[in-house]
Amino acid sequence: EISDIVRPQYKEYIRWLKHQNSVVAKKYWLNYLSGYKPDATIKNKHISHSTNSIVSQVKSLIPQDVMQNLLDISRREHITLNNILQTAWGITLSNTTRRKDVIFGSTIFGRPPQIDSVDKMVGLFINTLPLRIKIEEQTNFVEIAKKLQIDWAEMQEYIYLPLFDIKKQMDY
């Protein structure tokens, strides 16, 4: 019966959140994003002038052989498929904006594993984190993906800081 289900209370998450060190988290994000210049724009030459919206949907399937190659890289290099796809997206943004340093948002589920039964809690946990891809001379795809995976692992300690606080740190 539904009434017999005991769920952990969302207030436990709020209590946990209040005990996190936002000063340290803000320093982490300031350091992670330091030196980034937010002047990238993407120009879409195919925007219809008959509408005020540029929202569109693109559906694309990854060919089976390409997907198999990505899975092979993932296994061989011990890089998650998610990090491989995020690296590909970062490189795509870099090529599109003609910049060697790009940032894009990655939405996370945000449920801290430190809280017992957090997976059974009902409440808003999501956050968007900035992911940064820097393309250096003579750096290959796997090196960029490994760097992103290391960055991702390091930022897990600070994923609770809301994106608006991260952006406030950067003055943009």
Side-chain angles (χ1 to χ4, degrees):
E1 210 176 280
I2 293 178
S3 62
D4 292 339
I5 297 174
V6 177
R7 294 191 186 277
Q9 297 295 309
Y10 187 70
K11 65 183 176 185
E12 295 301 318
Y13 170 70
I14 300 300
R15 185 177 299 127
W16 175 87
L17 200 54
K18 287 181 180 179
H19 285 93
Q20 302 311 299
N21 190 336
S22 65
V23 173
V24 172
K26 287 175 183 177
K27 285 181 183 176
Y28 168 81
W29 289 109
L30 185 62
N31 182 57
Y32 178 71
L33 299 171
S34 70
Y36 180 75
K37 306 282 187 256
D39 61 352
T41 57
I42 299 174
K43 297 186 187 326
N44 185 346
K45 296 178 183 176
H46 305 290
I47 296 174
S48 169
H49 295 288
S50 63
T51 178
N52 292 335
S53 174
I54 59 170
V55 176
S56 65
Q57 182 177 357
V58 177
K59 183 176 181 179
S60 179
L61 299 176
I62 299 174
Q64 188 173 359
D65 61 326
V66 173
M67 190 65 198
Q68 188 58 54
N69 286 339
L70 294 174
L71 289 169
D72 290 345
I73 292 169
S74 175
R75 287 184 195 107
R76 183 180 63 244
E77 301 295 338
H78 306 286
I79 304 169
T80 66
L81 187 57
N82 184 51
N83 280 102
I84 288 173
L85 294 174
Q86 288 175 329
T87 300
W89 179 244
I91 291 170
T92 300
L93 286 175
S94 173
N95 290 336
T96 303
T97 61
R98 294 184 179 97
R99 294 196 47 169
K100 299 295 183 192
D101 188 6
V102 295
I103 293 176
F104 58 95
S106 178
T107 302
I108 59 162
F109 71 101
R111 292 175 185 262
Q114 299 91 332
I115 301 174
D116 290 335
S117 301
V118 71
D119 58 322
K120 294 177 178 61
M121 274 186 201
V122 175
L124 184 62
F125 296 90
I126 65 170
N127 192 12
T128 299
L129 301 177
L131 295 184
R132 186 175 191 178
I133 301 280
K134 285 185 179 180
I135 302 185
E136 310 285 339
E137 293 296 321
Q138 305 301 318
T139 304
N140 66 36
F141 181 89
V142 169
E143 292 169 331
I144 295 168
K146 284 184 176 182
K147 170 74 168 92
L148 181 63
Q149 185 154 299
I150 289 167
D151 290 348
W152 182 256
E154 289 174 355
M155 70 179 58
Q156 294 308 297
E157 191 174 341
Y158 311 105
I159 64 173
Y160 58 85
L161 194 68
L163 182 60
F164 66 84
D165 281 341
I166 296 169
K167 288 176 73 174
K168 202 178 342 177
Q169 289 294 111
M170 301 310 297
D171 286 332
Y172 55 81

